[in-house]
Structures are given as structure tokens and as C-alpha cells.
């Protein structure tokens, strides 16, 4: 006789949608608290309700469709466990990482009704809580007069009719009562017009009624349902489209689904019993592959093809042979992951699974089939070990899934693995314990398809497991070759989990909480590798000699101008992660302009993994702030004027490679017409910082337009000499160098994880002439030759993007300074530059023929004496350094066949030009305390300004003020 299996599924929360073909997007926000000592309690808004005291009957009443002790919903399942508050707590479907309005689903743009939905529920929730408390008090007092309560209920329902009536009319063609409310009242036995009927409505019925009222009304909003589990596991509709664009087959071992009633676009019955057992299979399938179609629920991997095998006979139970045949049939149909939300009461994994997984039907599929199994719903910790066959490897293609509530604590009903173990000859090795195959996921009050065209809320480990199965499906869709690497796939899911409970793998939570985005991301950015085509062997093998560790990308993120260069170039990096005997490739955009875009290689089009953009930036960066101070000294001796200034750099200047401090020494002999200047720091400003263009920011390539090429070489030692040739004509020659041998200190691990970065070296020589045309009017011109040892216009690559070999830039600058009288002065400057480079050493990058052409310019007007004799205002308009034309060529190894993982060289051309930025700035300065201090105010409008993440802002407005005090 075959031992019978029981569904690991769950208790019905009594929530069916009010309309069979409508959709809903719940505002439900759940927060669980401690269970009351007198039973399980629920508090949807406030007040105390006991909806499901003790053991739950999933279908209400005393319905027992199955004989004896056999129940498909085994265990003590409490779907409304704890103090549940749909409108408070952490789960918030309208905020966080879940965006229901992605792609073509955008009701906000066309439906102003949406703006008032959240405020409505924020008001209606507490109102219902007050009514429910009054209701409970009347029943506790055995009251007979419910007239006042009926009047309050009718007022509540009338408010719902006023708000939702137009939406119900639009969807059903009927008024609020005929199209929605009357059916709800009949379903739950509530008659607001008969006060005496209210005495018999139990607390659990009232709770189920209101959640059903909520879900039913939200079905008239016209968008897919959101639910609390989505932000809890870091899933979003966008992520599912990026990772799961290619359909994969997912096996579901569960009850038969009515045709077209699981909200799954592609569901096929592949075997087993075709008779109706219950609605469990539809609920599970909807969490895996619920469609993003504007109605119903959304699943983790909506593009998946669901193959369903029903092992349950007319009794609602399954034999072990049916289970084994079912999993085998699903694997034969093309599934490489199977969801099994079933099991034996009181166990996470019973010994019979040894025969299932190691039997003749499945033993040869251990490398190509992931089995995801629900842990069960009796709230017990497994203590019994599972004896394994000595000649067989303990299964590494198995994931066991428990349930957590919205507070990320284990559900009261969820079974846990404890320290139970796969034993060999009675011996338990630590790595063979079940907890090393265990993970948890949301499993309470899950909104799922009801198999009849609507939705229902269910709880149980049966509905935690499909979230894990969906995450596996996304992995197999993005990296199809993982379908042949079950063990590696399992490790990706487990190792990317968010640790809960005791640190590390523990007997309650196993590896912790499912994190879908983390599972689709590199497990460790530090382990990523970038391969160079010269070392490519031509085989889809991971045994290619790597050229660069992705650690070197940190240098790019730390260098000023690097991300802006990648931003304008629409650059990306293809990095590889080794997992066991296989690998994953990541197409990481280095430019926000690639977000939402696809990359086409060898006829295959794949979305860029835009969710990795900010992850990479955060991984690479970790900065602190430094203060600012200055010391100066001036001496007059023998006709020479000597001036020395030392200034501590700001953190921004340090990040730009200008060193921890700046110094300037100037020696001037006016009678001889000689001047010499030596120093450390901003050479461009020191050489030409006079007239209205006198701020350090004027010479910064990122903010100003005065000889930004010379600004790129500023930061190290500099020297300049000038001589007056004839009256009014000065000639000058200067040199400056920048040597930045910075190092990256990991912000998490500190100095013990210090990583030296490639030294950035640049030198510039500048020859200039200044001619005084007339009093108050001076013309100047300069020629700058800029040599970067391992860079391109200030951008320093790392590893695969190493710009070793550097580039050369020739720049010409012309300017004009004039005094207009009345305290006004005017200055202008314009620079034109050309950059050339043959190659960048062993880098994957080359500069295309013709090089780069870039420009910059700035105009500034200064007025002295606004409100007093010494205050001033400065207005400036600048175009910072902008590459007008030119491109980079990038060649690397990429996956060219998504089905096999085959690799080949791919060449891409990146345009370096981007948005042209303009900065309009006003600065006011007034001396105070007899010149010992100053008060400054500024305002700036910046068009096409790059943000911290590299995106472009059409217009950024900034204003501020500061007070300086000198000692």
C-alpha cells in the first residue's frame, strides 16, 4: 500500500475578489505583532479581533470533503496570525522597490482617480476598526439592539459607494450595490438593513469580509495586484522583464487548474489526474508566473511556461509513485525546476524523499533539475534524521522553503529543519544537515489566483515555495546554461539570501530570507572577472585566462570625470562570475543612458541589467569629508614681493586628485618685469586666475570653462615664469604635473582590505601671452600641451579599462578681460582642444581614428560696490569641458548564444559625446569684522547637470550661504 501524501498548502483567509474578471492593486500593509494569550488575534486597523481561533478550517464552517484524517491543508495553519495591520508597518506596496507602473502599466498618467485611493483607505481603515470594536463589544455583552451599529455600517458603506461607485459602474455597467456590495453582503451573511442579523456575524467572518471588501474594491483600479511580499524579497516587475525575457519551462506538481483561471499566460497540463481536487495549484502557479497584464496578480517570473502535473486522485492525496512519476514527467517535458508544495505532516523532509530523488526516474537528473519543496505547516521542528544511501551523493539540487510573516520572523505554522540531517550509516556530517538546504520566504496572507477568475488570500509554506521557484526560473531565463547546473543554481539562491535569526546558517531560518534581486546579481563584485579577447580560447569554457579583476573598476568610480565619461559614452562592462563548474555574465551599464535599453550580440537581444548600476557605484565608493583652512604669509625685500599660501584641500579636491593640501609661492619684481611662481595644487588657477574669472571652479573641467585642459593636469607640483617683453606685452611659460597614487580602503573591512590603485600621471606645458590693448582692456592667449600617462581627459581606467599608454591633447585658449567702469569688470575665455591616442596598452579600449575634439567657454561679469564700498556680486555663464565628437572602441568576450553560453569576441563603438552642460551662477560677497571675515551667498542654475549616479538633470537649481572667519 502506498503511503499517502498531503498538500503542504494552507488555510483559506476567506478573501475572494468581488468580480471574476477584474483586477486589483491592494494598498494592504501588514504588520504582525505578538499573539494574544487567548488565541490568535488580528488587528486590521486597531482594536482586537479573533478571526481564526485555534485550528483553521480553510473553507469556513465544518466542511470535510475528504474522508478520515486526510486533509489537503494539513497542519495548524493560522492565516491571520498576530496583530495584522494592513495600513501600517513595513510592507508598503506603493513605495520602495516595487513599481507597478512599469512599462505599459501606467494608470497614474491617465486616471486621476488613483491619486485619492491611498487617502481613502487611510480614512476607511480606522473607521472600520472603530465599527469592529463596537461590534465586538455588543456581542460580548450579549446585546439585542444593533440599530445604532447598523446605522454606522450603512454610513460607512455609503461612503464606499460615493467613492467607488463610478469605478464599479464603469467596470460592470451596474450601480455600486448591484455590481459589488450586494454580493458581498450575501456571501458573508451581513444585512445592514436588518440590525438583528448582525448579532450572528463572528469575528473571523468580519475580518475576512473587510479584507475581501478591500481586495474586491481594489479590483476596479485596473492594474495588477501588488502585495507585501514583493518589496520583502526585493522583486519588481522591471526586474522580472530584465532577467526573465526568455521563457523557460517551470514544473508545478500540484492540483489541476481550470483553463485560463490562474492568471498565467502559458499553462499546459502535461499529465496526472485531470479531475478537480481544489484550487491549490492555481494559487501556486500564479505566484510563479502571474501575468503582468493589468489584472489579477503578478508572479515572480511572468514569462515562464507552466507545465502542471496533478498527482492527486479523487481523495485529494497522492502516492509516492505518483509523485515520482510526476516530477519525472515534468523534467521530461522540459522543466529544469519543479515546485512541490506537498509533503508528510510533521516533517520538513520525510525519508520517502530518498527513494524519490535517488530512484531510477530522477537519479540521472540531479545535475539538470532543481526541486523546490515546501517545508510544511504544523509549526514543528524536525528532529528525525533522513538516512541516505551510502553509495549516492547527498542531494545538492534540493531547496526546502519555510514561511515568514511581514516582520521577517518565522510563521507560527512553518516547519523548520532544526539540526536534522542526511545521515550516512547513521553518521551526520555538518554539511549534510537540512538547514544547509533551507531558506525562508513570505508565506502569510498571500494574494493569489483563486482558480475561478478572482483572487484569494492564503497562508502557508505552499505559497512561500513558489517565490523561490520563480527566482530559479529568472536565473534559468537569463542564463539558460544554468539549467544543466542544478547545484550551482541552488547555491546562488542560498548564498544570496538575507541572513535572519542567528548569524550564519541556523536551524530556524537556514540561509535566511529569499532576496530575488541579490540572486540575480553578482554574489560578490570583488570576484568578478573581465576577459580580454587575446586570451580567448574559442570554447564556451570558464578556463579562460582572466585579464582583469573587477576590483580594478573601483579606480574608475573613484576618479573624477570617469563616470561622466562612461555616462556620455553609453559605456558598459561585461563581467563574469565563476559558480562551481559554470559561470554567469553580467552586462553592467556604466551609463544611466542604458537603463531600459537592450544590447544586441550575434542576433540576440538582452536588456542591460540596469539594477546593477547603482549596486556597482555603491560597491566601489566610500568617502569621508575633511575640513578646510588656510595659512598665508607675505614679505617685501629688496624690490621683491614674496607671498606664500598653504591651504588644506577639500574632500572633493582630494577625490579629484589635487592632493591633501595646496601651496603657492610667488616672487615678483615689478621693476624688472619678472615673476616666478612655484607650488602644489591648482596650477590653472594660479597661472591665470585674475580678472572676473578668478574662482577655482572656473578652471575645473567639471564646472568651468577656462583652459580646462590645464585644469586636468592641476593637482601636483607646478612652476611658472613670466617676463614683460615690452610695455603691455607679457610672455609666460609654465609646467605642471599630476601624480595620483591613491589607494582604495574598503569601507566595510577597513585598512586590512586596502587596495592600491593604478597611479594616474599627467603633465602639461603651457605657453601664454597677454597684451594690454588699452587701459582696462587685455587680450590673452595660450597653448597647452597635455600628456596623460594612463588616462583620457582626466578619466583613469582600471583593469580591463586601463588607459595605460595614455593620450595627448593640444589645446588653444583665447580670452579677454575688460574694465567697464562703475565697478564693473567683464572676462571671457574659450578653449578648443584635440585629443589623440593610438591605443591604451592592454586595455579593451581604443580611441577611434580622428581622436576627440572638445570645447569649453565661460563669460563672467563682476560688480564691486553693491550695498557698500567693498561688497561685490559676480555673474557667470559657462559651458564646462564637452567632447564634441569622437568615440571609443570596446572589444571583449561576451556570451553570443544565450542557450549554450558560447563565448566570442564582440566589438562595440561608444560615442564619447554627451549632453552639453551650461552653468549660470551668481555669487555675492561682503566683508565683515573689518575684513577678518566675509559673508557669501550663491545661486546656481545648471542645465543637463550630471547627478551623483551619472544621470542627466534637465535643470538643477542650487542656493546657499556661508560665513568665513580668518585668523
Amino acid at each position: 500500500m502506498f503511503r499517502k501524501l498531503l498538500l503542504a498548502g494552507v488555510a483559506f483567509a476567506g478573501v475572494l475578489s468581488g468580480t471574476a474578471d477584474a483586477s486589483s492593486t491592494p494598498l494592504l500593509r501588514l504588520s504582525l505583532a505578538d499573539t494574544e494569550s487567548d488565541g490568535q488575534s488580528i488587528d486590521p486597523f486597531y482594536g482586537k479581533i479573533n478571526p481564526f481561533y485555534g485550528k483553521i478550517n480553510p473553507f469556513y464552517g465544518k466542511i470535510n470533503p475528504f474522508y478520515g484524517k486526510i486533509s489537503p491543508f494539513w497542519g495548524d495553519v493560522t492565516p491571520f496570525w498576530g496583530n495584522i495591520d494592513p495600513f501600517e508597518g513595513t510592507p508598503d506596496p506603493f513605495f520602495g522597490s516595487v513599481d507597478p507602473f512599469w512599462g505599459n502599466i501606467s494608470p497614474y498618467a491617465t486616471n486621476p482617480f488613483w491619486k485619492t485611493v491611498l487617502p481613502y483607505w487611510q480614512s476607511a481603515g480606522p473607521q472600520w476598526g472603530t465599527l469592529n470594536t463596537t461590534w465586538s463589544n455588543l456581542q460580548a455583552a450579549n446585546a439585542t439592539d444593533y440599530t445604532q451599529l447598523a446605522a454606522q455600517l450603512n454610513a460607512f458603506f455609503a461612503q464606499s459607494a460615493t467613492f467607488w461607485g463610478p469605478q464599479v459602474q464603469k467596470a460592470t455597467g451596474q450601480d455600486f450595490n448591484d455590481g459589488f456590495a450586494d454580493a458581498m453582503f450575501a456571501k458573508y451573511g451581513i444585512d445592514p438593513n436588518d440590525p438583528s442579523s448582525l448579532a450572528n456575524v463572528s469575528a473571523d467572518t468580519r475580518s475576512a469580509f473587510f479584507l475581501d471588501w478591500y481586495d474586491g474594491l481594489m479590483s476596479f483600479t485596473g492594474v495588477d495586484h501588488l502585495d507585501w511580499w514583493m518589496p520583502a524579497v526585493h522583486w519588481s516587475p522591471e526586474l522580472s522583464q530584465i532577467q526573465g525575457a526568455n521563457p523557460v519551462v517551470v514544473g508545478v506538481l500540484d492540483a489541476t487548474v481550470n483553463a485560463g483561471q490562474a492568471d498565467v499566460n502559458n499553462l499546459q497540463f502535461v499529465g496526472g489526474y485531470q479531475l478537480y481536487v481544489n484550487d491549490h495549484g492555481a494559487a501556486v502557479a500564479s505566484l510563479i508566473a502571474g501575468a503582468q497584464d493589468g489584472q489579477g496578480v503578478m508572479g515572480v517570473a511572468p514569462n515562464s511556461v507552466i507545465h502542471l502535473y496533478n498527482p492527486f486522485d479523487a481523495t485529494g492525496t497522492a502516492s509516492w509513485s505518483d509523485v515520482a512519476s510526476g516530477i519525472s514527467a515534468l523534467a521530461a517535458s522540459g522543466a529544469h525546476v519543479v515546485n512541490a508544495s506537498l509533503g508528510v505532516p510533521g516533517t520538513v523532509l520525510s525519508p520517502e524523499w530518498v527513494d524519490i530523488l535517488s530512484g531510477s526516474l530522477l537519479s540521472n537528473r540531479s545535475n539538470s533539475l532543481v526541486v523546490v519543496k515546501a517545508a510544511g505547516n504544523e509549526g514543528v521542528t524536525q528532529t528525525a534524521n533522513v538516512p541516505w544511501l551510502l553509495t549516492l551523493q547527498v542531494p545538492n539540487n534540493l531547496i526546502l522553503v519555510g514561511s515568514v510573516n511581514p516582520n521577517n520572523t518565522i510563521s507560527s505554522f512553518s516547519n523548520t529543519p532544526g539540526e536534522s540531517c542526511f545521515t550516512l550509516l547513521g553518521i551526520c556530517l555538518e554539511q549534510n544537515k537540512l538547514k544547509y538546504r533551507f531558506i525562508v520566504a513570505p508565506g502569510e496572507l498571500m494574494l493569489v489566483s483563486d482558480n475561478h477568475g478572482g483572487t484569494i488570500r492564503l497562508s502557508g509554506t505552499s505559497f512561500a515555495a513558489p517565490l523561490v521557484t520563480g527566482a530559479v526560473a529568472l536565473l534559468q531565463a537569463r542564463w539558460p546554461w544554468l539549467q544543466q547546473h542544478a547545484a550551482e543554481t541552488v547555491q546562488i539562491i542560498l548564498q544570496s539570501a538575507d541572513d535572519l535569526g542567528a548569524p550564519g546558517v541556523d536551524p530556524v531560518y537556514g540561509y535566511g530570507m529569499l532576496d530575488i534581486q541579490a540572486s540575480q546579481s553578482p554574489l560578490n563584485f570583488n570576484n568578478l572577472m573581465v576577459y580580454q579577447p587575446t586570451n580567448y580560447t574559442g570554447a564556451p569554457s570558464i578556463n579562460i585566462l582572466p585579464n582583469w579583476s573587477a576590483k580594478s573598476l573601483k579606480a574608475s568610480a573613484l576618479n573624477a570625470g570617469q563616470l561622466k565619461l562612461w555616462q556620455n559614452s553609453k559605456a558598459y562592462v561585461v563581467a563574469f562570475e565563476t559558480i562551481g563548474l559554470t559561470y554567469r555574465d553580467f552586462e553592467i551599464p556604466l551609463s544611466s543612458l542604458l537603463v531600459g535599453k537592450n544590447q544586441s550580440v550575434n542576433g540576440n537581444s538582452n536588456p542591460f541589467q540596469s539594477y546593477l548600476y547603482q549596486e556597482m557605484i555603491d560597491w566601489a565608493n566610500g568617502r569621508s569629508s575633511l575640513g578646510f583652512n588656510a595659512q598665508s604669509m607675505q614679505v617685501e625685500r629688496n624690490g621683491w614681493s614674496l607671498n606664500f599660501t598653504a591651504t588644506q584641500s577639500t574632500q572633493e579636491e582630494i577625490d579629484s586628485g589635487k592632493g591633501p593640501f595646496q601651496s603657492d609661492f610667488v616672487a615678483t619684481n615689478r621693476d624688472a618685469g619678472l615673476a616666478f611662481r612655484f607650488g602644489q595644487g591648482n596650477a590653472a588657477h594660479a597661472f591665470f586666475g585674475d580678472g572676473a574669472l578668478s574662482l577655482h571652479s572656473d578652471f575645473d573641467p567639471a564646472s568651468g570653462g577656462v583652459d580646462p585642459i590645464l585644469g586636468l593636469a592641476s593637482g601636483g607640483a607646478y612652476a611658472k615664469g613670466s617676463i614683460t617683453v615690452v610695455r603691455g606685452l607679457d610672455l609666460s611659460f609654465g609646467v605642471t604635473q599630476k601624480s595620483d597614487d591613491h589607494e582604495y580602503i574598503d569601507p566595510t573591512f577597513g585598512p586590512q582590505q586596502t587596495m592600491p590603485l593604478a597611479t594616474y600621471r599627467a603633465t602639461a606645458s603651457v605657453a601664454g601671452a597677454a597684451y594690454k590693448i588699452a587701459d582696462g582692456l587685455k587680450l590673452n592667449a595660450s597653448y597647452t600641451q597635455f600628456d596623460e600617462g594612463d588616462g583620457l581627459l582626466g578619466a583613469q581606467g582600471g583593469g580591463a579599462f586601463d588607459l595605460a599608454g595614455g593620450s595627448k591633447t593640444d589645446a588653444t585658449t583665447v580670452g579677454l578681460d575688460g574694465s567697464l567702469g562703475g565697478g564693473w569688470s567683464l572676462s571671457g575665455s574659450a578653449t578648443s582642444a584635440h585629443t589623440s591616442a593610438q591605443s591604451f596598452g592592454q586595455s579593451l579600449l581604443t580611441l577611434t581614428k580622428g581622436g576627440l575634439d572638445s570645447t569649453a567657454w565661460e563669460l563672467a561679469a563682476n560688480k564691486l560696490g553693491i550695498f557698500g564700498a567693498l561688497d561685490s556680486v559676480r555673474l557667470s555663464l559657462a559651458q564646462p569641458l564637452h567632447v564634441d565628437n569622437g568615440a571609443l572602441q570596446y572589444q571583449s568576450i561576451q556570451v553570443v548564444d544565450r542557450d549554450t553560453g558560447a563565448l566570442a569576441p564582440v566589438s562595440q563603438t561608444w560615442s564619447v559625446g554627451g549632453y552639453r552642460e551650461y552653468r549660470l551662477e551668481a555669487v555675492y560677497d561682503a566683508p565683515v569684522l573689518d575684513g577678518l571675515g566675509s559673508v557669501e551667498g550663491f545661486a546656481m542654475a545648471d542645465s543637463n547637470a550630471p547627478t551623483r549616479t551619472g544621470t542627466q538633470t534637465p535643470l538643477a537649481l542650487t542656493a546657499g550661504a556661508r560665513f568665513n572667519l580668518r585668523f
Side-chain angles (χ1 to χ4, degrees), residues 840-858:
F840 299 111
Q842 297 299 313
S843 173
L844 303 183
L845 297 173
T846 58
L847 198 59
T848 56
K849 186 177 181 180
L852 305 179
D853 293 316
S854 53
T855 57
W857 56 263
E858 184 170 4

Side-chain angles (χ1 to χ4, degrees), residues 920-962:
L920 177 63
E921 188 174 56
V923 179
Y924 174 78
D925 179 271
V928 296
L929 302 177
D930 295 328
L932 292 178
S934 65
V935 175
E936 298 177 5
F938 72 93
M940 182 180 67
D942 197 342
S943 67
N944 293 327
T947 66
R948 182 179 69 86
T949 59
T951 58
Q952 298 294 139
T953 301
L955 183 64
L957 301 176
T958 308
R962 70 179 180 178

Side-chain angles (χ1 to χ4, degrees), residues 857-861 874-879 918-921 941:
W857 56 263
E858 184 170 4
L859 295 172
R874 177 186 187 265
L875 303 174
S876 64
L877 175 64
Q879 177 214 287
Y918 298 97
R919 294 168 64 99
L920 177 63
E921 188 174 56

